Amino acid sequence: MPPITIMAVITLIASVGLWGGLIYACSGRDRRYLGWLLPGLPLSAFVNLLVKKPLIVSVGEAANIPPGLGLATPVWFIIFLWLVPPVTEEAVKVAPLLWPSARRAIKSRTAALWTGAALGVSFGLGEAVWIAYGIAQSPQYAAYPWYAFTGYLGERLVVCFCHGVMTALVVTGLQQGRGRAWVGYLAAVGLHALLNTGAVLAQLGVISPAVAGLILMPPVLIMFVIFESLRRRAAGDPESQAAAAEVIYFRREPDRNAE
Amino acid sequence: MRNESLHFKPRPSVGWAWLAVIALACIGIGALTALPLLHADAPIGILLLVALPLPLIGVPFLVLAIWFPTMRYQLDERSLTLRYGPVLTYQIPLNEIQTIRKRNLSISLLSSMRLPGLALFTVHYTDLGNVKMCATAAATGILLVETAKHKYGLTPADEEGFLAALQARIGS
């Protein structure tokens, strides 16, 4: 058994517990949204094998650019490589909403927020498995003990949350209407590209993987702020008000003598 | 009869267990970090720098867990006082209370003293902003007492009795 397997299982359990728990707790213990943690699981493998890889290979071959050039790669192709994952992944993550019954489920801003967050986390879980599979295929990692992959655990935990926020942005936009859908999608693509900047620079050899990890932090903080902002806006819609289930026991009458 | 002070307990929760688990995890991880350094005869300065911060964080959690049974709501003739050990006392003059309502709150990701089954001190909520909490629930079924300046969150076990006594004293 490849040593990454144990850490991948720990990562999946921790991610489901943490982010699934967050979605459950913050949505007012609504179990409906937990079901959306499933449909995104195969989508990372799907988009990597059937969309990103063929697209990058065919464009590279058409332009006669061999892989692994590092900084000698033409700038336009680096930008292309940088943008392919955000553009394709942000679109494929909302693919389960093509089902008409799934679209009907996002009738409010609250439902859009938590459905999107769960779909994004679901994609993140699948991506963690896909990356673990990639590491398991690489002989250079076979000699490490399983506990040497704590970097994988930390990165995937954080990235799972980020996928949730980005997809919540897209689905909230979709719920608002066609114009807003594009705004949400482009915002998610921009954030995703920002998140990937460190990894792309590390692959080009411009910075070390450790610095790439540090560069990941500011976009993650931005994600937290966006997530809170989405929740604040959703708190105003009728579904959230109903979930709050307020009962007023006492309200002091205005002092008429003061008028 | 009216001058006597009434004491109400909060509804039961496992908030103390969360505090204890966090405290023991911090102390345990600190100890595990210290062990290899002790075996390697590391300088005492390095040992303290590496192994001490986590237990230092854990001890206050342990102390809060020990004080958990002291959470009380005290109703006097003129004020309602929320207490948790010697570290938390919120006194609310009855004549300043504007509303009393019960609702579920929407928790924020911003850091604060909020765990499943316990919320203490000022906690930020997405829907209501800052609420001064002394409660055995973080978000569900919170009784909110509002004055012009502050919101307070509590969870009395005998909610009916508490509300009846509070409203009787406000009315008088």
Side-chain angles (χ1 to χ4, degrees):
Chain A
M1 185 171 69
I4 186 76
T5 310
I6 295 172
M7 193 56 87
V9 171
I10 293 171
T11 304
L12 291 179
I13 292 169
S15 298
V16 170
L18 197 58
W19 308 127
L22 181 85
I23 289 166
Y24 178 66
C26 291
S27 64
R29 301 187 178 186
D30 195 331
R31 289 183 189 171
R32 276 179 302 168
Y33 303 118
L34 296 181
W36 292 107
L37 288 174
L38 293 173
L41 293 175
L43 294 180
S44 178
F46 167 82
V47 78
N48 276 291
L49 285 172
L50 300 177
V51 182
K52 282 159 64 178
K53 193 177 175 187
L55 187 65
I56 290 168
V57 168
S58 57
V59 171
E61 281 176 357
N64 283 325
I65 300 167
L69 279 181
L71 282 174
T73 310
V75 173
W76 71 265
F77 195 69
I78 292 174
I79 295 171
F80 172 72
L81 291 176
W82 179 52
L83 289 179
V84 163
V87 170
T88 55
E89 290 180 11
E90 291 314 317
V92 85
K93 282 194 282 180
V94 293
L97 295 177
L98 288 172
W99 252 265
S101 59
R103 284 292 292 278
R104 281 197 293 276
I106 52 164
K107 56 186 182 296
S108 68
R109 200 187 265 263
T110 305
L113 166 64
W114 298 118
T115 304
L119 273 176
V121 169
S122 172
F123 180 89
L125 295 170
E127 191 178 59
V129 174
W130 173 252
I131 287 173
Y133 173 76
I135 292 171
Q137 302 308 304
S138 176
Q140 72 182 98
Y141 295 112
Y144 290 96
W146 67 269
Y147 48 83
F149 295 99
T150 47
Y152 162 87
L153 166 72
E155 187 199 80
R156 286 299 110 197
L157 261 180
V158 169
V159 170
C160 247
F161 170 75
C162 293
H163 275 305
V165 177
M166 291 182 293
T167 313
L169 258 178
V170 180
V171 180
T172 306
L174 271 174
Q175 190 268 330
Q176 302 281 296
R178 194 168 289 176
R180 294 272 183 169
W182 280 106
V183 172
Y185 173 71
L186 292 174
V189 167
L191 278 169
H192 198 146
L194 193 66
L195 201 68
N196 283 1
T197 305
V200 171
L201 291 174
Q203 277 171 9
L204 289 170
V206 177
I207 56 172
S208 69
V211 175
L214 286 176
I215 288 178
L216 192 68
M217 284 304 119
V220 170
L221 291 176
I222 293 171
M223 300 277 183
F224 270 95
V225 173
I226 290 171
F227 184 64
E228 282 302 292
S229 158
L230 288 172
R231 289 187 57 213
R232 241 193 324 273
R233 283 187 214 161
D237 83 24
E239 191 176 332
S240 290
Q241 299 287 346
E246 184 168 282
V247 180
I248 296 175
Y249 293 111
F250 169 80
R251 190 188 292 278
R252 192 178 291 278
E253 293 299 321
D255 188 355
R256 293 184 192 281
N257 296 330
E259 287 172 6
Chain B
M1 186 72 181
R2 269 286 154 82
N3 290 332
E4 84 181 34
S5 159
L6 297 173
H7 294 258
F8 292 88
K9 286 183 181 177
R11 64 179 187 236
S13 87
V14 290
W16 63 271
W18 281 93
L19 288 168
V21 165
I22 292 173
L24 295 176
C26 288
I27 294 165
I29 293 169
L32 283 175
T33 316
L35 278 176
L37 291 172
L38 279 172
H39 278 288
D41 288 329
I44 188 78
I46 299 286
L47 189 70
L48 291 177
L49 198 67
V50 174
L52 206 59
L54 269 178
L56 281 180
I57 295 168
V59 167
F61 280 93
L62 194 62
V63 173
L64 283 176
I66 293 165
W67 280 332
F68 189 85
T70 66
M71 191 191 284
R72 287 283 185 285
Y73 310 122
Q74 184 184 329
L75 189 56
D76 298 321
E77 194 184 357
R78 293 177 189 280
S79 66
L80 166 65
T81 308
L82 322 182
R83 288 186 199 282
Y84 190 95
V87 287
L88 187 154
T89 304
Y90 293 138
Q91 193 161 36
I92 313 164
L94 298 184
N95 61 1
E96 288 184 15
I97 293 175
Q98 302 286 324
T99 58
I100 304 168
R101 52 192 172 129
K102 184 182 179 179
R103 61 176 286 165
N104 297 332
L105 307 180
S106 177
I107 53 177
S108 158
L109 293 187
L110 294 175
S111 174
S112 53
M113 190 55 230
R114 165 183 50 73
L115 297 165
L118 182 70
L120 294 173
F121 310 109
T122 302
V123 177
H124 184 80
Y125 289 94
T126 307
D127 46 353
L128 290 180
N130 288 344
V131 181
K132 290 174 182 284
M133 296 295 289
C134 182
T136 51
T140 312
I142 305 294
L143 200 63
L144 281 169
V145 175
E146 286 178 273
T147 66
K149 287 182 184 170
H150 301 292
K151 298 181 189 82
Y152 299 88
L154 49 155
T155 48
D158 175 15
E159 197 174 276
E160 269 186 39
F162 175 81
L163 282 167
L166 180 58
Q167 289 187 57
R169 292 196 181 202
I170 291 173
S172 69

